Amino acid sequence: MYRFLFSSKWLGYFVLAVIFAAGCVFLGRWQMDRRAETLAEINRVVSNYSATPLPFSAAKAEFQALDPEREWTQVELRGSYDVAGQRVVRNRPLNGQPGYEVVVPFRLTSGEAVVVDRGWLPIGNKTPGHPDSIPAPPAGEVTVVARLKASEQKLDRGAVDGQLASIDLPSYAVELGYPIMTGAYGQLATESPAVQPMPAPFPKPATDEGTHLSYSLQWFAFGVLMFVGFGYAARQQARNARIDAEDEDEEISATPRRKAPAPRKSKRPTAEEEEDAILDAQGY
């Protein structure tokens, strides 16, 4: 009944089902990988974001080459801002609104220099492509608590004077003309003494894992349903073939059969006919 499955047409259907299911499994696993990355980021935020700040001496190596597991770690810095080296970073949307971020070199009392991202500014209305104003950092010695963030990749788009296309620390160091640590920068949490006005502070990163798990389960379900649909179609095909065969048998049994002609009975010759045949044979 299921011999039709070995036909070229149904074998082609099966191959398409396998390809579709393999694609669903690939997309499902991709969503699972994305979920794993999201969960790792959530774990870093939960563990590091509000933890007790480390002294710079304990986090110095992270500013040189940041361990991804130490991202968002709070570090306490003492020193002064180099306002002359201040830059704004272009194309930095926040909550769906376009704007800028303000980065300033921070010279530590120990002699090293790092970069601090002081916050976000909206697009200005006075001069296109520039914020209306950039709040100045506090003068003199400052105590800063900042969260570690990795240096960003260099972008192939340019920027006007006083602006950066990304927080690419090695390129920034070339502009400054003095060495800074290029493995990580600090995203401002607090500074003392505090000044007003301030750039807008950054919101805490989201700790919602999103829809990756539900999407991955949906893709796996689609792959299974493809074979369920193939099996259902094959069952319907076999059912229709069985019904057609039964109908054909009924038609054959309902057709009246023609009776075979009765065999002729052999006619035995009478005595007179036998005598005539003998006389004829003798020439009379």
Side-chain angles (χ1 to χ4, degrees), residues 78-102:
R78 288 187 176 88
S80 59
Y81 285 108
D82 176 16
V83 181
Q86 178 176 269
R87 301 287 189 275
V88 294
V89 188
R90 299 171 54 86
N91 301 315
R92 311 297 278 205
L94 180 65
N95 297 326
Q97 183 179 356
Y100 309 87
E101 292 179 20
V102 183

Side-chain angles (χ1 to χ4, degrees), residues 98-144:
Y100 309 87
E101 292 179 20
V102 183
V103 292
V104 191
F106 191 84
R107 292 181 175 271
L108 295 143
T109 55
S110 58
E112 295 93 342
V114 299
V115 171
V116 174
D117 186 344
R118 296 192 69 236
W120 181 86
L121 297 174
I123 284 183
N125 297 316
K126 298 177 181 179
T127 305
H130 294 77
D132 286 340
S133 63
I134 305 174
E141 185 169 311
V142 184
T143 299
V144 166

Side-chain angles (χ1 to χ4, degrees), residues 22-98:
C24 290
V25 170
F26 172 79
L27 292 172
R29 294 186 64 179
W30 176 71
Q31 286 289 348
M32 292 297 286
D33 291 342
R34 291 287 305 278
R35 178 174 181 259
E37 294 173 1
T38 302
L39 291 177
E41 174 65 16
I42 291 173
N43 184 62
R44 284 193 290 269
V45 172
V46 171
S47 301
N48 302 336
Y49 192 84
S50 299
T52 302
L54 299 175
F56 173 75
S57 58
K60 180 177 179 179
E62 304 302 331
F63 280 98
Q64 296 170 335
L66 179 62
D67 179 356
E69 295 302 317
R70 302 297 297 275
E71 187 179 19
W72 302 113
T73 298
Q74 294 194 110
V75 181
E76 185 176 87
L77 310 171
R78 288 187 176 88
S80 59
Y81 285 108
D82 176 16
V83 181
Q86 178 176 269
R87 301 287 189 275
V88 294
V89 188
R90 299 171 54 86
N91 301 315
R92 311 297 278 205
L94 180 65
N95 297 326
Q97 183 179 356

